[in-house]
């Protein structure tokens, strides 16, 4: 069966420090991968998505970047964190085409920038 | 543009009451998918249901049921005989279908359901 791992679960970082969040998927090949952010309140906003190795699309301009060095690995990074980067970050995967699946989410990383 | 609206920010019910969570969507796509996710206090999003735009058949799964009506662009979710464990934030989401779609989800703002014992 497929599983998605996301770490760390919680992170407290000072303003101006770098960030690296990692997400890996097991049990499937060539998934679409996504990073969502849930800011204080509730709404989820798509940050990045990737349809293949090295292919990254950004949905909103921001202080973050993403990379996909391997088929089932998706990394969210920042060179210098801002206070506004605080939030709950969720990685997700799905398959499009055949089979066509719903998105499955990791357990999330709660980031607090201080 | 695509949009999902969950007008109910918070709902509070007493255990065993029935509760309906509303979801209204906007899209120009002829093929699309609708989803409901549950977010318990732990934070992860738990998939509940997917519905295709060409299938308006309502669905029941245990205490959960979903009413999809294209005529009103609504995809409402009902919990029958609610339980304390149903307390969570519930999200409705929309995804485009057809070729070229990226699979990204457009989420509503979520409805916080509190079920009191």
């Amino acid at each position: 069966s497929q599983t998605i791992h996301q770490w760390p679960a919680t992170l407290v970082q000072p303003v101006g420090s770098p960030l690296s969040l990692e997400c890996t998927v097991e049990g499937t090949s060539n998934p679409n991968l996504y990073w969502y952010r849930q800011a204080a309140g509730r709404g989820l906003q798509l940050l990045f998505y990737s349809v293949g190795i090295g292919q990254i699309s950004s949905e909103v301009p921001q202080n973050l970047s993403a990379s996909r060095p391997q088929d089932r690995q998706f990394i969210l990074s920042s060179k210098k964190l801002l206070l506004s980067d605080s939030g709950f970050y969720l990685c997700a995967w799905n398959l499009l085409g055949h089979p066509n699946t719903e998105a499955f989410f990791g357990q999330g990383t709660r980031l607090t920038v201080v | 543009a695509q949009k999902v609206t969950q007008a109910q920010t918070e709902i509070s019910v007493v255990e065993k009451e029935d509760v309906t969570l509303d979801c209204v969507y906007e899209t120009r796509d002829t093929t699309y998918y609708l989803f409901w996710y549950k977010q318990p206090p732990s934070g992860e999003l738990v998939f509940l249901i997917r519905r295709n735009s060409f299938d308006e058949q309502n669905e029941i799964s245990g205490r959960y049921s979903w009413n999809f009506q294209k005529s009103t662009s609504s995809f409402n979710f009902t919990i029958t005989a609610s339980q304390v464990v149903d307390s969570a934030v519930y999200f409705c989401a929309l995804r485009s279908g057809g070729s070229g779609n990226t699979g990204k989800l457009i989420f509503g703002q979520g409805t916080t359901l509190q079920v009191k014992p």
Side-chain angles (χ1 to χ4, degrees):
Chain A
S1 63
Q2 302 90 354
T3 56
I4 179 169
H5 302 281
Q6 187 181 340
W7 68 93
T10 306
L11 195 58
V12 180
Q13 292 284 93
V15 170
S17 64
L19 172 74
S20 181
L21 303 181
E22 191 161 342
C23 170
T24 60
V25 180
E26 296 178 357
T28 188
S29 297
N30 197 29
N32 282 16
L33 297 171
Y34 308 84
W35 279 110
Y36 288 85
R37 178 170 62 195
Q38 186 175 23
R42 269 173 267 101
L44 286 116
Q45 181 183 38
L46 178 65
L47 302 177
F48 300 95
Y49 68 91
S50 172
V51 299
I53 297 174
Q55 300 179 59
I56 308 295
S57 296
S58 174
E59 285 292 299
V60 292
Q62 60 210 316
N63 185 43
L64 302 168
S65 62
S67 62
R68 184 171 177 174
Q70 300 180 41
D71 180 44
R72 291 169 290 178
Q73 183 185 28
F74 204 23
I75 298 171
L76 183 68
S77 304
S78 174
K79 292 182 179 178
K80 290 185 178 181
L81 283 169
L82 305 173
L83 287 174
S84 58
D85 292 324
S86 293
F88 190 55
Y89 290 82
L90 288 156
C91 180
W93 74 272
N94 68 8
L95 294 175
L96 298 183
H98 302 284
N100 193 345
T101 72
E102 47 276 355
F104 295 98
F105 287 79
Q107 294 194 317
T109 296
R110 197 164 302 279
L111 172 66
T112 304
V113 182
V114 296
Chain B
Q2 295 184 315
K3 185 178 179 181
V4 176
T5 301
Q6 294 178 254
Q8 304 151 307
T9 303
E10 294 183 15
I11 300 176
S12 181
V13 299
V14 177
E15 206 169 20
K16 297 185 182 178
E17 286 185 15
D18 298 347
V19 58
T20 296
L21 309 181
D22 297 333
C23 173
V24 175
Y25 63 92
E26 296 175 26
T27 181
R28 293 183 179 181
D29 294 334
T30 54
T31 302
Y32 53 90
Y33 301 90
L34 295 164
F35 304 82
W36 275 95
Y37 284 88
K38 175 182 180 180
Q39 187 177 42
S42 60
E44 69 176 291
L45 286 178
V46 179
F47 166 74
L48 295 178
I49 190 172
R50 174 179 65 169
R51 176 59 77 215
N52 306 329
S53 56
F54 44 85
D55 181 5
E56 285 193 73
Q57 190 172 16
N58 293 328
E59 183 159 335
I60 299 175
S61 176
R63 296 184 297 108
Y64 295 170
S65 62
W66 291 268
N67 181 8
F68 175 32
Q69 291 193 336
K70 289 179 74 171
S71 61
T72 56
S73 297
S74 65
F75 186 41
N76 296 337
F77 173 29
T78 297
I79 302 175
T80 303
S82 60
Q83 300 176 1
V84 173
V85 293
D86 295 326
S87 297
V89 182
Y90 289 87
F91 289 96
C92 180
L94 169 68
R95 191 186 94 194
S96 290
S99 61
N101 85 85
T102 61
K104 65 181 183 182
L105 293 169
I106 306 299
F107 283 91
Q109 286 298 103
T111 298
T112 299
L113 173 64
Q114 183 181 33
V115 181
K116 299 178 180 178

